[in-house]
């Protein structure tokens, strides 16, 4: 099963695709970021994120995916823009026939590192180890998206609230 994880943002949206190897471990398929130019208006930035995610879904045909749930942020403007990017990611996956789940940052940290309070570096190191990579995936948004995908790979069998 191919799984896509998305770390949404309007400036940079991370994506990561994994599958389960024969021995049950996560195996890397692809990862990267979608960067939108700051001089584009918000509608065009969202359209760019949507178009690129749609291309990635058409290329890799993930059956399932996950997006990080919006966590309370002090900056309301940032929270709103991340929410818009989340909506675009959810739409792209839904229209691509991808079953979607959502996880809190704590759930992702717990699934990847075994500790819900792990810091960003610990999560990135665990992503590197779990995917047997020589280096931490860069940029950070791509590593975060891979963590979301790994979390979903470890959890999807037990999910009852996956959005169809």
């Amino acid at each position: 099963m191919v799984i896509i994880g998305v770390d949404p943002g309007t400036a940079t949206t991370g994506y990561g695709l994994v599958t389960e190897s024969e021995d049950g471990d996560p195996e890397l398929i692809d990862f990267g970021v979608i960067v939108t130019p700051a001089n584009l208006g918000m509608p065009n930035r969202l359209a760019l994120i949507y178009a690129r995610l749609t291309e990635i879904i058409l290329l890799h045909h993930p059956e399932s995916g996950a997006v990080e749930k919006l966590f309370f942020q002090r900056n309301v403007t940032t929270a709103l823009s991340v929410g818009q990017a989340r909506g675009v990611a959810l739409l792209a996956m839904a229209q691509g026939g991808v079953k979607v789940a959502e996880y809190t940052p704590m759930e992702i940290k717990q699934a990847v590192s075994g500790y819900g309070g792990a810091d960003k570096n610990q999560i990135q190191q665990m992503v590197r180890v779990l995917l047997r990579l020589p280096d931490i995936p860069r940029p950070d948004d791509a590593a975060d998206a891979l963590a979301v995908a790994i979390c979903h790979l470890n959890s999807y069998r037990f999910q009852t609230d996956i959005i169809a």
Side-chain angles (χ1 to χ4, degrees), residues 26-150:
E27 187 174 293
L28 178 66
I29 296 174
D30 191 15
F31 70 91
V33 293
I34 303 162
V35 179
T36 62
N39 63 343
L40 280 182
M42 186 59 70
N44 290 331
R45 291 177 106 172
L46 295 172
L48 181 60
I49 294 165
Y50 174 80
R52 186 67 181 111
L53 281 175
T54 299
E55 290 171 6
I56 293 163
I57 290 167
L58 288 171
L59 177 65
H60 295 290
H61 305 289
E63 293 94 341
S64 193
V67 178
E68 186 173 340
K69 283 184 182 176
L70 186 58
F71 187 70
F72 175 77
Q73 298 194 13
R74 291 187 183 114
N75 185 328
V76 174
T77 304
T78 301
L80 289 173
S81 67
V82 170
Q84 291 172 323
R86 279 186 81 252
V88 167
L90 292 169
L91 175 63
M93 286 192 266
Q95 288 190 335
V98 179
K99 295 177 184 171
V100 182
E102 300 174 86
Y103 300 95
T104 65
M106 182 181 252
E107 290 171 324
I108 295 165
K109 291 174 182 183
Q110 179 71 36
V112 173
S113 73
Y115 174 55
D119 66 31
K120 193 170 199 67
N121 184 56
Q122 290 170 314
I123 297 302
Q124 292 172 345
Q125 288 293 345
M126 284 305 300
V127 166
R128 180 189 65 76
V129 168
L130 291 169
L131 294 174
R132 300 181 189 114
L133 301 174
D135 299 305
I136 293 172
R138 296 282 180 213
D140 291 352
D141 303 283
D144 293 346
L146 285 167
V148 174
I150 291 168

